[in-house]
Amino acid sequence: DKAIENYRKALAIQLKSLGPDHLDVSSTYKKLGVIFWQQENYDDSLDMLKKELSILLKNFDNDDPRITLVYNNLAVVFRTQGKHDEATEMYQKELQNQLKVLGDEHPDLAKTYKNLAEVLSDQGKY
C-alpha cells in the first residue's frame, strides 16, 4: 500500500505539472497497473493499463513496441480474470504489431503464438 500511495502522489503531481498525455504519466499508470495485478485487483489493473494505452496511442503509432507490450499486459489480466475473448483480442493485436515490425520469423513471435494458443485452448478452441 505504501508503493501505491507514493505512485498516486507522483501521478497527481505529474498530471498537474505535465498534463494527462505525458509519457511520464503513462509510465506511472503502467506501474500502478502492475502492482494492482500483483495484488489480484484486476479491475484497477485494467483501468490503469487502459489509461497507459490511451496515452501511448496519442503519442506513438499503433505498432510501437510500447503499445505492443500494453496489449500483452492487458491480455494477461483479461486471461487471469477468465475473460478469454478479451484476452484473445489483445494477444491478436500484439501479434499483428509484432508481425508488422519484426517479420514472421522473429523469436518473440513464439511467445505470443504460445500465449494465444493457450487462451484459445482454455476456451476449448482446439
Side-chain angles (χ1 to χ4, degrees), residues 16-111:
K16 185 175 182 179
S17 62
L18 302 173
D21 296 329
H22 196 277
L23 294 178
D24 288 350
V25 173
S26 75
S27 176
T28 304
Y29 282 135
K30 175 183 181 176
K31 299 214 184 267
L32 282 165
V34 170
I35 289 174
F36 288 135
W37 177 77
Q38 292 169 333
Q39 293 182 325
E40 299 180 5
N41 183 347
Y42 303 125
D43 290 336
D44 285 345
S45 178
L46 286 172
D47 184 48
M48 294 297 112
L49 294 173
K50 287 176 181 179
K51 288 178 179 181
E52 176 196 9
L53 179 62
S54 176
I55 293 168
L56 292 177
L57 286 170
K58 291 176 185 174
N59 285 280
F60 301 104
D61 291 334
N62 183 55
D63 58 1
D64 186 275
R66 287 164 279 216
I67 292 171
T68 303
L69 180 59
V70 179
Y71 288 144
N72 175 271
N73 292 342
L74 286 166
V76 168
V77 178
F78 281 131
R79 184 171 179 210
T80 303
Q81 288 184 302
K83 296 180 178 178
H84 300 296
D85 290 338
E86 291 91 337
T88 299
E89 179 184 353
M90 292 298 110
Y91 282 134
Q92 288 173 334
K93 287 183 176 191
E94 177 187 15
L95 183 61
Q96 284 177 322
N97 284 3
Q98 288 175 320
L99 287 168
K100 185 175 180 182
V101 174
L102 304 174
D104 61 358
E105 293 189 20
H106 193 279
D108 288 353
L109 292 171
K111 179 182 171 193

Side-chain angles (χ1 to χ4, degrees), residues 5-23:
E5 178 183 332
N6 284 294
Y7 277 128
R8 288 193 187 277
K9 287 178 182 178
L11 182 61
I13 293 167
Q14 290 171 329
L15 287 168
K16 185 175 182 179
S17 62
L18 302 173
D21 296 329
H22 196 277
L23 294 178

